[in-house]
Amino acid sequence: MTIRVLLADDQALLRGAFRILIDTEDDMEVVAEASDGREAVERTKATRPDVVLMDVRMPGTDGLSATAAICGDPDLADTRVLILTTFETDEHVARALRAGAVGFLGKDVQPPELLSALRRVAAGHPLLSAVATRAVIDGFLAQPEAAPDQAALPGRLASLTAREREVMAMAAIGLGNEEIAARMHVSPFTVRTHVHRAMAKLDARDRAQLVAIAYQSGLVRAPRPPE
């Protein structure tokens, strides 16, 4: 199948570069472009792309508001939003995830990484850059330790198998499925199964939240800053 992509960015030059990159691939094509969030929503409804590559800062309706509109529309349930932005702050990442985005990348991403990300997101897999994942973790760690839901987290971890906790811990330190599989001497499919089961047991909506829970619960400790 051909992955159908909509480009939403207020910089025409950047959209043009992305279009050239994407249209050279045999398995994907750009079906529409938008220069602001309102246009992105309208053209997503008109073209029903598989993936919307969405900038955050655009005039008028911004990318996060547009993401919420797209992801909140039942008729667009098969469309996934991949955020691509210069600003990988904890606030932007958190808002993007809450809005329904399934991926978050910085604009310094290399072309092969971007193409791989589009394929991954189109296949239904969540994706966060290393910077975005760190931002999510830092945001959770900055919350008060006495938050009501945190007290129950260690007990909830007891529902996980030893393998699921091991995989969760390795995911929390930034290892991908293939790297975890190599360390555990299992297949990447087995790792994905453990990740999905842990997410289901802990009511984690995505891998980023699973990572955050690992830090919140004390399964993994954040490194201490140098003195």
Side-chain angles (χ1 to χ4, degrees), residues 39-181:
E39 198 172 37
V41 175
E42 292 176 353
R43 296 195 175 180
T44 297
K45 291 179 179 179
T47 60
R48 305 295 177 93
D50 299 302
V51 181
V52 177
L53 189 60
M54 182 81 74
D55 187 21
V56 171
R57 293 193 175 181
M58 293 185 288
T61 303
D62 66 24
L64 297 180
S65 298
T67 297
I70 292 169
C71 296
D73 188 336
D75 292 334
L76 300 176
D78 293 331
T79 296
R80 298 174 176 88
V81 177
L82 173 60
I83 299 290
L84 188 67
T85 181
T86 306
F87 307 98
E88 295 183 83
T89 66
D90 57 347
E91 178 185 0
H92 282 153
V93 177
R95 285 185 59 197
L97 295 176
R98 284 196 295 267
V102 297
F104 201 104
L105 290 175
K107 282 188 176 179
D108 59 349
V109 65
Q110 296 298 307
E113 295 175 86
L114 176 59
L115 294 172
S116 176
L118 287 169
R119 293 185 178 99
R120 181 177 176 82
V121 168
H125 303 300
L127 183 146
L128 288 181
S129 68
V131 174
T133 300
R134 185 68 248 178
V136 172
I137 292 168
D138 289 343
F140 273 88
L141 291 176
Q143 296 176 4
E145 292 186 3
D149 61 334
Q150 288 188 340
L153 284 173
R156 289 167 62 193
L157 288 185
S159 67
L160 303 182
T161 66
R163 278 295 205 185
E164 288 164 356
R165 285 195 295 271
E166 185 179 3
V167 167
M168 182 176 172
M170 284 191 277
I173 63 173
L175 298 183
N177 287 351
E178 289 75 15
E179 294 171 304
I180 296 173

Side-chain angles (χ1 to χ4, degrees), residues 191-206:
V191 173
R192 286 196 297 272
T193 300
H194 287 315
V195 169
H196 290 160
R197 287 176 178 170
M199 287 171 57
K201 290 179 181 180
L202 298 174
D203 295 323
R205 64 178 175 273
D206 52 37

Side-chain angles (χ1 to χ4, degrees), residues 7-21 33 53 55 84 86 107:
L7 303 175
D9 197 296
D10 62 336
Q11 299 180 47
L13 186 61
L14 195 58
R15 293 199 311 272
F18 286 154
R19 175 182 280 276
I20 293 172
L21 174 67
E33 296 182 25
L53 189 60
D55 187 21
L84 188 67
T86 306
K107 282 188 176 179

